[in-house]
């Protein structure tokens, strides 16, 4: 498995995957798909395609600011769900965040989505309740090696 930078050519794949996976929740909460908003979000984010066994197995969209990584979308193709791929992607996102000294992950998911349970198992906590969604957050720790080096004063600006 690997995550690769998405291109404009990946927009139809990512958009159709989001629509397919999220349609039941849009209907449940009386929401409509907005293709313009999807494309705006795409342009502002770091879109990544998950490749597995030579095919596109999913899509993740991230926004990283000075304090936090926001996971806008994590979508896995149905045939690849239940195989640990989502957990693998989240471990990659955590490492990418740590590499940028970002120690908070945030996301939103629908109240009724099984994703809420998935994210809780990964250490996310519900921080905000909204009409149709919950806002979740996970605070990351530094890696053991980095934390130990900081504690004994071995990290210098040249090493970071």
């Amino acid at each position: 498995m690997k995550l690769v930078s998405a291109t404009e050519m990946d927009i139809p794949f990512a958009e159709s995957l989001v629509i397919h996976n999220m349609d039941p929740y849009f209907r449940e909460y009386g929401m409509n798909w907005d293709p313009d908003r999807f494309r705006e979000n795409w342009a502002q984010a770091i879109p990544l395609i998950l490749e597995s066994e030579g095919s596109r197995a999913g899509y993740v969209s991230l926004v990283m600011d000075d304090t936090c990584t926001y996971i806008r979308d994590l979508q896995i193709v149905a045939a690849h769900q239940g195989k640990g791929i989502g957990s693998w992607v989240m471990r990659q996102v955590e490492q990418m965040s740590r590499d940028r000294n970002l120690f908070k992950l945030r996301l939103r998911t629908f109240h009724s989505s099984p994703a809420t349970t998935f994210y809780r198992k990964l250490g996310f906590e519900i921080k905000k309740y909204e009409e149709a969604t919950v806002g979740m957050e996970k605070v990351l720790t530094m890696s053991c090696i980095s934390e130990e080096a900081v504690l004994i004063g071995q990290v210098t600006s040249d090493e970071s």
Side-chain angles (χ1 to χ4, degrees), residues 81-107:
Q81 292 177 5
K83 299 178 181 179
I85 291 174
S87 297
W88 181 86
V89 170
M90 291 304 296
R91 286 192 301 274
Q92 306 313 303
V93 169
E94 286 184 19
Q95 189 57 53
M96 290 167 50
S97 297
R98 283 188 181 101
D99 290 348
R100 290 165 177 79
N101 292 318
L102 301 174
F103 295 100
K104 283 186 184 177
L105 302 178
R106 290 184 178 153
L107 58 86

Side-chain angles (χ1 to χ4, degrees), residues 10-22 33 38 56:
D10 293 307
I11 291 175
F13 164 76
E15 185 173 21
S16 67
L17 181 58
V18 174
I19 291 169
H20 179 267
N21 287 355
M22 303 310 291
W33 178 252
F38 178 82
R56 294 184 291 193

Side-chain angles (χ1 to χ4, degrees), residues 59-84:
Y59 156 71
V60 63
S61 176
L62 308 171
V63 173
M64 296 176 163
D65 66 17
D66 293 338
T67 62
C68 183
T69 297
Y70 297 88
I71 302 157
R72 282 221 171 128
D73 264 312
L74 171 56
Q75 303 293 332
I76 306 296
V77 172
H80 293 278
Q81 292 177 5
K83 299 178 181 179

Side-chain angles (χ1 to χ4, degrees), residues 110-139:
F110 286 104
H111 289 283
S112 59
S113 171
T116 304
T117 301
F118 167 74
Y119 291 120
R120 280 187 160 168
K121 286 179 183 177
L122 295 177
F124 282 80
E125 296 179 358
I126 294 175
K127 296 293 186 179
K128 186 175 184 180
Y129 289 89
E130 297 173 343
E131 186 176 330
T133 62
V134 291
M136 302 183 80
E137 180 178 277
K138 179 176 182 178
V139 177

